[in-house]
Amino acid sequence: MSRKEENRTITKDGQLLLEKAHRDGVVTAWDRHEAQQPHCGYCEMGLSCRICVMGPCRIDPFKEGPQVGVCGADADIIVARNLGRMIAAGAASHSDHGRDLVEVLENVALGKGEGYGIKDEAKLKKVAAEYGISAEGKDVRMIAGELAHAMQEDYGTRKKALTLISRAPEKRRDIWKKLGIVPRGIDRETSEMMHRTHMGVDNDWVSILLHAMRNALSDGWGGSLIASEVSDILFGTPQPKPTSANVGVLKEDQVNIIVHGHNPVVSEMVLLAAGSDALLDLAVEKGAKGINVAGVCCTGNELLMRHGVPMAGNHLTTELVLATGAVEMMIVDYQCIMPSLGTVASCYHTKMISTSDKAKFPGMEHREFYPDNAREMAQTLVKEAVENYGRRGEIYLPVAPVDAVGGFSVEAILGALGGTPGPLLDAIKAGKIRGAAGVVGCNNPKIKQDYGHVTLIRRLIENDILVVDTGCAAVATAKAGLKTAEAARFAGPGLQEICGALKIPPVLHMGSCVDNVRILVLASALADALGTDISDLPIAGAAPEWYSEKAAAIGTYFVASGVYTVLGPMPPITGSMNVVKLLTQGLNDVVGATFAVEPDPEKAAVLIRRHIEVKREKLGLSSVKV
Ligand code: BF8
Ligand code: SF4
């Protein structure tokens, strides 16, 4: 193992597959990241602007060159506009994903979309009631139709507030009202952000950033929450299930299909097809012992949460998993799918399939999924994957999978607690659990893969802080063995006791990235039980290895919802000290929470522990000095 691989990832499978990839002549994200060095300093600081064609412009951070763009925008305006657009793109991504699910729900209501159905009728009725839709005298399809219609209205029509913000504590909603940042329409806030940041519209950097919070809230409490809830309605609300993680989940003697992307509307159908007797018989006929569906990234997390489907890896594993030579087919939908994947796959026998008209890739065959053809298309693809088994060359599966448990939806967590947040609050009050942290987000070649997630989370649980995680962070801790009930031995004595009593891991997998809002729904339940606001709770958020615009939106709706959030990589804002100060200090007086940036996870853990102890003290609970 060369030092180079060890510096790139803490994972054994990653290190060994990186070596293999290099032997095979495969170029990875780490190589391309190296080739990009040094990154453009103006862009890193958020000081370049290419919003209009009088530019592009840049501001000289050393004050020797221009201090304003051609239009007269200064560093504060340029940095705020860039950040605002970043958040808008993230909000649009999650929310458009939610829209696709609502369209499937609508199709189910119309009796179309063969293969899809209503799996969680109780949740359908509960969410419908939140939208003011009565279930009385209506069949399931009728309720589904009315709910789909009402949710579509949250996207577009003229409203004063999104429906599901009613789940946030009243005190929080009052803060939003006072600030004028109550999210109105999901599409509206994103559209307005693009408008405000057009040349010559909003040139008050504070006002741009306030709208950025509103835009992010329209994602968290709008598009993302709709995505999570409709996924539960269509595919079932997650309950704890055993699973496993790392590339060792691929099977030497089975047809391996990897699903990659985010929206379960494709991966659920692939999973369904892979279980069909006819295709299993065909696999046996072709010399395989079965058909193994595994995930990478968030659509993998969706399947893991609901079915215990194993996870081959997170974001930076997506190229490496192909280097095993053991993947017959990778089926992708959208988001976080590197355009390099087709090139990587061309070194092996892997067939690459794109499925969404919104997301096409070089080196992939495009086979579009619609609600109406999805079941049939999935069967066709799985059949092709089976037929590809015979073309497999040498394979390399150097590690054994690690056991994990996933499936901790809010309902499952409250269920484990006996139906109410009471026992969790009692444990927090007694100091057995000091508080809780939501650790979320990506991999980023700027940070050794999984080092940020695993180190931070280990330090938190050692100090009796319960961790919930999602997205690629959740896959990192699954690979690191922190997601089994036995992993409680890594926790401090108090958390260990609680995990033992409830038979839960110290790190709870809450799902994919759209599921981050599940964390806020849980936090709201805790705040409501205490009669307080989210910002008063001894909780924090962290995104130790974030890379994406979606993560920027998530971080922002966490902070706007009152959760102190520590980022690993620095966002491109250091070109404006005004923006930095507002986000890391000033927001405290505005929304009761701030961002912090700390790439070293050891130090980030100290920041979070300190924050939790301060909040404990303010609640009159025992506190220790960190
Ligand atoms: O939505 S954590 S790298 S896969 S953006 Fe992407 Fe980041 Fe992973 Fe899921 Ni989320
Ligand atoms: Fe330059 Fe202003 Fe145009 Fe940006 S909007 S590119 S700063 S002229």
Side-chain angles (χ1 to χ4, degrees):
M1 179 77 45
S2 85
R3 284 208 57 86
K4 199 166 178 181
E5 275 83 38
E6 283 172 7
N7 288 334
R8 289 179 165 186
T9 173
I10 64 165
T11 61
K12 199 78 206 153
D13 59 346
Q15 291 170 356
L16 292 167
L17 279 163
L18 260 171
E19 275 189 339
K20 161 87 161 42
H22 292 153
R23 283 199 301 275
D24 293 351
V26 168
V27 176
T28 66
W30 286 279
D31 304 316
R32 296 188 296 271
H33 178 253
E34 228 170 78
Q36 284 289 337
Q37 300 307 312
H39 281 304
C40 166
Y42 296 99
C43 293
E44 272 190 328
M45 298 179 81
L47 285 175
S48 52
C49 180
R50 47 179 178 74
I51 280 176
C52 87
V53 181
M54 291 192 286
C57 304
R58 57 191 187 185
I59 305 295
D60 183 351
F62 303 109
K63 314 271 182 225
E64 281 160 16
Q67 293 302 295
V68 288
V70 176
C71 66
D74 62 12
D76 297 334
I77 296 171
I78 288 177
V79 168
R81 279 197 309 215
N82 287 338
L83 182 63
R85 285 193 166 203
M86 196 176 191
I87 289 165
S93 306
H94 284 146
S95 300
D96 203 38
H97 161 166
R99 185 198 331 268
D100 287 340
L101 283 153
V102 176
E103 278 179 7
V104 174
L105 185 67
E106 191 185 25
N107 272 275
V108 168
L110 294 169
K112 298 188 199 161
E114 200 203 333
Y116 299 107
I118 305 295
K119 283 265 168 59
D120 190 340
E121 219 176 292
K123 182 162 254 193
L124 170 72
K125 290 182 180 154
K126 180 183 163 278
V127 179
E130 289 180 87
Y131 275 84
I133 298 163
S134 147
E136 236 180 85
K138 295 175 192 161
D139 69 8
V140 170
R141 272 178 37 193
M142 196 182 283
I143 304 168
E146 287 181 28
L147 180 60
H149 186 75
M151 284 175 158
Q152 278 159 345
E153 289 202 327
D154 266 345
Y155 278 85
T157 56
R158 196 172 142 264
K159 279 187 160 186
K160 287 207 166 63
L162 296 181
T163 311
L164 294 177
I165 63 163
S166 58
R167 292 193 186 180
E170 204 180 331
K171 285 187 180 167
R172 182 58 25 192
R173 281 179 275 139
D174 286 345
I175 291 171
W176 296 338
K177 231 178 265 167
K178 220 172 90 203
L179 286 170
I181 60 168
V182 173
R184 299 155 297 180
I186 296 166
D187 289 341
R188 176 178 185 168
E189 307 309 354
T190 294
S191 181
E192 185 171 316
M193 177 54 85
M194 298 312 283
H195 177 198
R196 280 178 186 245
T197 53
H198 186 283
M199 203 301 279
V201 186
D202 199 350
N203 286 290
D204 177 329
W205 60 274
V206 176
S207 159
I208 295 169
L209 294 177
L210 275 173
H211 185 74
M213 287 201 286
R214 189 178 216 174
N215 194 176
L217 289 170
S218 80
D219 168 7
W221 296 90
S224 276
L225 191 45
I226 285 177
S228 286
E229 294 296 57
V230 177
S231 296
D232 287 355
I233 290 169
L234 291 170
F235 307 119
T237 300
Q239 286 296 326
K241 279 204 175 54
T243 183
S244 53
N246 79 27
V247 293
V249 305
L250 296 180
K251 301 255 168 65
E252 203 181 325
D253 50 6
Q254 295 197 20
V255 174
N256 291 307
I257 300 174
I258 293 276
V259 287
H260 180 9
H262 285 77
N263 203 322
V265 298
V266 173
S267 54
E268 281 278 348
M269 284 296 128
V270 172
L271 186 66
L272 190 71
S276 101
D277 287 342
L279 290 170
L280 285 168
D281 287 349
L282 183 67
V284 172
E285 205 180 288
K286 299 283 173 194
K289 291 216 170 101
I291 304 172
N292 179 38
V293 176
V296 289
C297 291
C298 283
T299 207
N301 279 323
E302 298 275 350
L303 293 188
L304 177 154
M305 289 288 283
R306 298 193 177 86
H307 308 281
V309 165
M311 280 298 284
N314 45 2
H315 180 52
L316 281 176
T317 317
T318 57
E319 294 177 306
L320 299 180
V321 76
L322 300 177
T324 61
V327 181
E328 273 59 53
M329 183 176 279
M330 181 182 265
I331 302 173
V332 311
D333 53 273
Y334 43 54
Q335 298 171 14
C336 303
I337 296 150
M338 291 194 227
S340 61
L341 284 172
T343 311
V344 177
S346 67
C347 300
Y348 308 95
H349 76 305
T350 310
K351 284 188 91 167
M352 300 295 293
I353 308 289
S354 57
T355 57
S356 164
D357 64 338
K358 302 173 199 184
K360 299 180 180 174
F361 300 85
M364 292 197 196
E365 206 179 307
H366 188 68
R367 310 287 280 279
E368 209 148 307
F369 270 60
Y370 314 95
D372 258 353
N373 77 350
R375 188 173 177 164
E376 214 186 303
M377 179 62 86
Q379 291 203 335
T380 308
L381 291 180
V382 172
K383 183 164 178 268
E384 288 175 23
V386 171
E387 279 158 358
N388 199 25
Y389 182 71
R391 292 182 55 236
R392 199 190 258 189
E394 252 183 54
I395 66 164
Y396 182 59
L397 293 172
V399 293
V402 177
D403 287 339
V405 181
F408 290 94
S409 56
V410 175
E411 290 82 349
I413 293 174
L414 292 179
L417 295 169
T420 72
L424 181 56
L425 283 172
D426 290 344
I428 291 175
K429 284 181 192 160
K432 286 185 180 166
I433 296 179
R434 311 300 302 170
V439 183
V440 311
C442 325
N443 290 142
N444 182 330
K446 291 179 176 173
I447 302 225
K448 197 192 287 187
Q449 185 193 15
D450 291 359
Y451 172 73
H453 298 305
V454 173
T455 311
L456 172 66
I457 290 173
R458 273 184 178 273
R459 294 299 165 267
L460 295 178
I461 62 172
E462 272 164 27
N463 286 286
D464 289 328
I465 294 168
L466 176 70
V467 172
V468 294
D469 59 7
T470 61
C472 290
V475 184
T477 52
K479 287 188 278 178
L482 296 176
K483 281 201 161 75
T484 57
E486 298 74 53
R489 69 181 190 279
F490 299 118
L495 179 57
Q496 212 174 106
E497 186 189 321
I498 302 294
C499 290
L502 298 173
K503 301 196 173 39
I504 55 169
V507 184
L508 303 178
H509 194 328
M510 283 192 83
S512 65
C513 268
V514 291
D515 292 332
N516 277 312
V517 65
R518 292 192 202 266
I519 299 173
L520 295 184
V521 171
L522 183 63
S524 298
L526 295 179
D528 284 343
L530 280 176
T532 183
D533 176 41
I534 295 175
S535 63
D536 298 324
L537 298 173
I539 63 170
E545 302 179 30
W546 76 285
Y547 92 87
S548 80
E549 292 163 317
K550 291 181 290 168
I554 295 162
T556 307
Y557 73 66
F558 262 51
V559 170
S561 298
V563 182
Y564 170 71
T565 299
V566 184
L567 303 176
M570 176 61 99
I573 58 169
T574 51
S576 163
M577 281 327 280
N578 281 329
V579 171
V580 171
K581 270 195 213 141
L582 179 75
L583 298 185
T584 57
Q585 296 167 22
L587 282 184
N588 219 2
D589 299 330
V590 184
V591 290
T594 61
F595 281 103
V597 180
E598 180 47 74
D600 179 348
E602 299 280 1
K603 291 183 185 154
V606 173
L607 290 178
I608 289 174
R609 287 175 55 210
R610 203 173 280 155
H611 170 80
I612 282 176
E613 293 301 331
V614 167
K615 291 292 172 185
R616 289 185 62 88
E617 198 179 341
K618 283 194 182 147
L619 283 172
L621 304 176
S622 70
S623 68
V624 293
K625 203 149 182 61
V626 178

